[in-house]
Amino acid sequence: MDEIDISLHYLETVDSTNVYVKNNVDTLADGALVYAGTQTAGRGRLGRVWHSPPGRNFYGSLLLKRLENPLLGTMVVSLGALAALRSLAPELAVWLKWPNDLYVGGRKLAGVLSETADSAGGARMIVVGIGVNLNTTEEELSLIDRPAASVFAAVGCKINPDFFASELARYAKTYYIMGIFSGNRLFDEWRKCNSMVGLDVELDLGGGRLVTGLATGIAPDGALLVRDARGIEKPYYCGDASITREAVRRLAERLAGTADLQ
Ligand code: BTN
């Protein structure tokens, strides 16, 4: 097998790095990480907009030609970003929230959007976009329509987006290799890092459908297992998950190592 290399490509401005990579899968190499100073049409999940002000944050997309399952792509990038953030800002209590987010306390720090793409020859591959709020100020965060966090607002430390890109590339490479050789091992790592398990959650399934209960685990197919008040456990494959205020407090204790791990 050829050596895996994550190569960095910087664009000052682009509509969306996911769209750019998807449109250029035939010319970009496997492992290309395209990131931008700003996006004019940054896209989030469920048709949302990803707020992408210039020069502050990280907006990038990684092309994974050797994976076909978008969930594995999400794991590569989420785990890579988690490791990069923990190494650059050790005091930041960042955690992985099922299925695609990185959170600090009860606020969203980063979101991942994993999509499939096809080469001209018909080969299936994955494009994984991630937006990370690095240096957004508290004032700018308050303009976002949902509770949002940044590294700067949380712990007062500024991280250069170029430096974040190189750290992300370094850690994502490890997880990409893991995913190619053993999807199960990558899955186990991701499952271990999902801090929602053991907490009371609220799952918005859309259309006014809301599920509340205890997140008991993550099934082998990636579904979140939630046990409701009647003791019935069911798998959920998508939805907007949030944790209760009390669960945020317990999680903070757990991350600080002061509570019993479940
Ligand atoms: C979400 O949480 O809704 C996912 C957000 C993904 C945003 C990133 S920013 C880089 C890449 N380009 C996009 O247009 N979206 C992703």
Side-chain angles (χ1 to χ4, degrees):
M1 188 175 87
D2 295 340
E3 164 124 27
I4 302 286
D5 184 33
I6 307 290
S7 55
L8 295 175
H9 306 257
Y10 176 73
L11 304 169
E12 198 154 310
T13 176
V14 69
D15 49 359
S16 149
T17 54
N18 263 38
V19 171
Y20 180 90
V21 174
K22 284 174 81 172
N23 287 340
N24 291 282
V25 290
D26 292 311
T27 48
L28 289 166
D30 180 32
L33 175 57
V34 176
Y35 70 108
T38 186
Q39 300 184 117
T40 54
R43 300 191 297 135
R45 288 190 305 133
L46 308 171
R48 293 185 185 129
V49 167
W50 189 260
H51 184 61
S52 312
R56 297 258 201 294
N57 300 321
F58 180 81
Y59 320 109
S61 302
L62 179 61
L63 177 59
L64 304 175
K65 292 195 176 184
R66 288 180 238 203
L67 294 180
E68 293 190 356
N69 177 345
L71 183 59
L72 288 182
T74 295
M75 294 173 193
V76 168
V77 170
S78 306
L79 287 168
L82 185 70
L85 286 162
R86 285 183 173 161
S87 99
L88 291 169
E91 64 283 24
L92 185 75
V94 53
W95 57 281
L96 277 196
K97 184 175 85 79
W98 178 93
N100 301 69
D101 297 326
L102 280 79
Y103 262 58
V104 171
R107 293 161 166 234
K108 180 159 167 165
L109 179 82
V112 174
L113 179 64
S114 188
E115 302 182 275
T116 54
D118 294 309
S119 71
R124 174 57 51 100
M125 53 191 70
I126 306 297
V127 176
V128 196
I130 179 166
V132 186
N133 295 330
L134 294 175
N135 305 312
T136 322
T137 61
E138 198 63 74
E139 200 183 342
E140 285 171 318
L141 290 173
S142 67
L143 304 175
I144 299 174
D145 56 355
R146 287 157 179 265
S150 74
V151 177
F152 179 65
V155 292
C157 120
K158 289 212 166 180
I159 296 178
N160 180 317
D162 296 317
F163 194 48
F164 179 80
S166 55
E167 287 295 280
L168 175 61
R170 188 155 76 89
Y171 288 107
K173 176 174 173 170
T174 305
Y175 291 113
Y176 186 24
I177 293 170
M178 195 184 283
I180 292 168
F181 288 104
S182 171
N184 286 342
R185 184 151 168 234
L186 178 64
F187 181 76
D188 282 346
E189 284 294 314
W190 178 74
R191 188 152 55 172
K192 265 195 288 183
C193 289
N194 259 274
S195 304
M196 267 189 126
V197 175
L199 299 176
D200 289 323
V201 299
E202 203 172 76
L203 210 54
D204 184 348
L205 303 175
R209 288 195 309 147
L210 212 61
V211 171
T212 54
L214 178 73
T216 52
I218 294 180
D221 58 2
L224 184 71
L225 301 171
V226 179
R227 191 166 65 219
D228 68 18
R230 293 168 302 158
I232 299 169
E233 186 178 88
K234 282 192 193 158
Y236 294 93
Y237 292 88
C238 56
D240 246 348
S242 54
I243 60 176
T244 61
R245 203 178 274 257
E246 170 57 17
V248 171
R249 195 191 57 73
R250 283 185 52 211
L251 179 61
E253 283 178 0
R254 204 202 276 179
L255 290 171
T258 56
D260 287 340
L261 290 176
Q262 317 227 355

